[in-house]
């Protein structure tokens, strides 16, 4: 269920600098989060800026769980916006635009690229690639005839000649640009990636015979070949970004900059700054629990942050009492999303919890099924239907009817009209006035 790594990558893709004309003063602008230097606010961000960038992630991914995903994304957003503010601060101090400032501290020289190539040459060569044309034939005999003609007049002319003759045993022909060695079927690696002075090659498999025209083979075996590849610019861009990020992080330290965010977000903000999870548990324990292990915090996202830290640190058993208290507290506060219920079920299999869990799971599964992604969630579908079936025999009429409703919905979306009709009829026989919720 975690999407943290994808969300982080998307931050780099958007690359949005929110320029601001906010006036710093003691009395006016109330920042949601801000940068401090020696106790003085030097820049800040308002809630509208956070909401604007956050909305981009919602549009890209859809809604986030309010306790276990949304705070993480919001913390990432605050970190990015505050870093942008700090970059503006530094660039102004150097008399540069943010773009020129970034360029001056992120340039990667050719010597640095050579050093990178020598250090990672073996890994780089795994990304060797080939550009080629190919033709596929039913029989080896016809492929040999075509190959002979290719050697005489060239691939393109031979293919044109074949096309004009309406040759039926030609199964397919196409051009492929940038096929990586690491992505190539093992049966074709040698024929495509073995260096040769001849650009034309023939290969036969159990199913067909191929004739290849190798337009460009770059095995990345030298720095010059690496430099001529698209990979060079990609690596340079990554090194440049890393170099700039390292510079900014060093300046945050040397300039004694403090990032201040709302108190309930501090554990999440530390999380996005890659503070080790074990350290987070130790740092925030006293904010969430007393010395006896009793819950003292009533701030939901602080509690969910601590739960996440315990899980990431794999300390569930050590803090079993606190972990279960924290999850139960969220549930009792009315937070009954799938991510809360999935955790609660590890130690609470009461009928209501099992029902609420399976209702939320069914809603998720219905979305996957409608998107044509049934196979990836097949195991969950079976368990969901099985548990709903058991709940449909409950002594509690409300539990029974809700289970019947979702058995009807699940079977309907799965295309089992007979079963869905059976469950709906059983539901209405029991409660003619029951209103089936619309999940659209």
């Amino acid at each position: 269920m975690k999407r943290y790594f994808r969300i982080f990558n998307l931050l780099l893709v958007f690359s949005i600098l929110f320029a601001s004309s906010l006036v710093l003063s003691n009395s006016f602008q109330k920042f949601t989060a801000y940068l401090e230097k020696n106790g003085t606010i030097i820049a800040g961000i308002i809630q509208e800026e956070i909401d604007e960038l956050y909305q981009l992630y919602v549009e890209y991914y859809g809604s986030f769980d309010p306790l276990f995903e949304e705070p993480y994304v919001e913390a990432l957003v605050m970190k990015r916006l505050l870093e942008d503010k700090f970059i503006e601060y530094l660039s102004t101090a150097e008399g540069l635009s943010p773009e020129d400032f970034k360029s001056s501290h992120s340039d990667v020289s050719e010597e640095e690229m050579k050093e990178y190539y020598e250090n990672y040459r073996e890994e780089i060569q795994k990304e060797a690639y080939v550009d080629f044309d190919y033709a596929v034939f039913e029989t080896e005999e016809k492929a040999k005839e075509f190959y002979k003609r290719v050697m005489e007049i060239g691939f393109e002319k031979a293919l044109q000649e074949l096309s004009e003759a309406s040759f039926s045993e030609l199964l397919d022909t196409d051009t492929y640009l940038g096929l990586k060695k690491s992505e190539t079927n093992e049966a074709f690696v040698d024929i495509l990636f073995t260096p040769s002075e001849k650009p034309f090659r023939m290969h036969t498999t159990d199913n067909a015979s191929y004739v290849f025209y190798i337009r460009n083979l770059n095995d990345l075996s030298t720095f010059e070949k690496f430099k001529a590849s698209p990979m060079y610019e990609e690596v340079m861009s990554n090194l440049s970004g890393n170099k700039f990020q390292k510079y900014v992080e060093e300046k945050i330290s040397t300039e004694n900059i403090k990032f201040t965010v709302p108190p309930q977000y501090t554990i999440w903000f530390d999380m996005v700054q890659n503070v080790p999870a074990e350290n987070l548990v130790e740092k925030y324990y006293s904010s969430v629990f007393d010395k006896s292990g009793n819950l003292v915090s009533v701030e939901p996202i602080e509690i969910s942050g601590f739960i996440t830290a315990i899980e990431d640190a794999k300390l569930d058993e050590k803090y079993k009492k606190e972990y279960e208290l924290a999850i139960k507290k969220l549930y009792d506060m009315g937070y009954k999303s799938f991510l809360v219920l999935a955790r609660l079920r590890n130690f609470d299999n009461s009928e209501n919890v099992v029902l609420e869990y399976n209702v939320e799971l069914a809603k998720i599964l219905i979305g996957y099924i409608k998107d044509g992604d049934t196979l990836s969630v097949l195991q969950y579908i079976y368990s969901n239907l099985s548990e709903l079936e058991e709940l449909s025999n409950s002594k509690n009429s409300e539990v029974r009817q809700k289970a019947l409703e979702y058995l009807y919905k699940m079977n309907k979306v799965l295309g089992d009209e007979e079963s869905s009709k059976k469950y709906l009829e059983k539901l209405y026989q029991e409660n003619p006035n029951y209103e089936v919720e619309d999940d659209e």
Side-chain angles (χ1 to χ4, degrees), residues 320-332:
K320 188 173 187 293
K321 174 187 173 183
E322 292 89 339
Y323 183 77
E324 294 184 2
L325 276 174
I327 295 168
K328 189 68 166 61
K329 179 65 174 178
L330 294 178
Y331 178 80
D332 290 342

Side-chain angles (χ1 to χ4, degrees), residues 365-367 369-370 408-416 420:
L365 294 175
I366 286 169
I369 297 166
K370 285 182 176 179
Y408 154 69
K409 289 181 176 180
M410 284 292 291
N411 280 279
K412 183 178 180 181
V413 77
L414 286 166
D416 188 344
S420 64

Side-chain angles (χ1 to χ4, degrees), residues 178-190:
L179 177 64
K180 292 182 179 180
K181 188 175 184 178
S182 60
E183 298 171 350
T184 303
N185 185 301
E186 189 176 341
F188 294 93
V189 169
D190 289 342

Side-chain angles (χ1 to χ4, degrees), residues 85-134:
K85 295 294 182 183
F86 184 55
I87 291 168
E88 290 177 24
Y89 169 80
L90 292 175
S91 59
T92 300
E94 293 187 19
L96 298 171
S97 69
E99 292 76 18
D100 290 338
F101 172 78
K102 183 173 183 178
S103 177
S104 67
H105 295 291
S106 62
D107 282 344
V108 177
S109 68
E110 185 166 315
E111 286 305 311
E112 288 175 298
M113 291 297 290
K114 285 181 179 178
E115 181 181 355
Y116 178 88
Y117 176 78
E118 292 303 323
N119 289 338
Y120 298 98
R121 184 173 180 272
E122 188 173 331
E123 289 299 312
I124 289 171
Q125 282 190 275
K126 292 178 182 178
E127 299 303 301
Y129 67 93
V130 61
D131 303 327
F132 61 93
D133 295 345
Y134 68 89

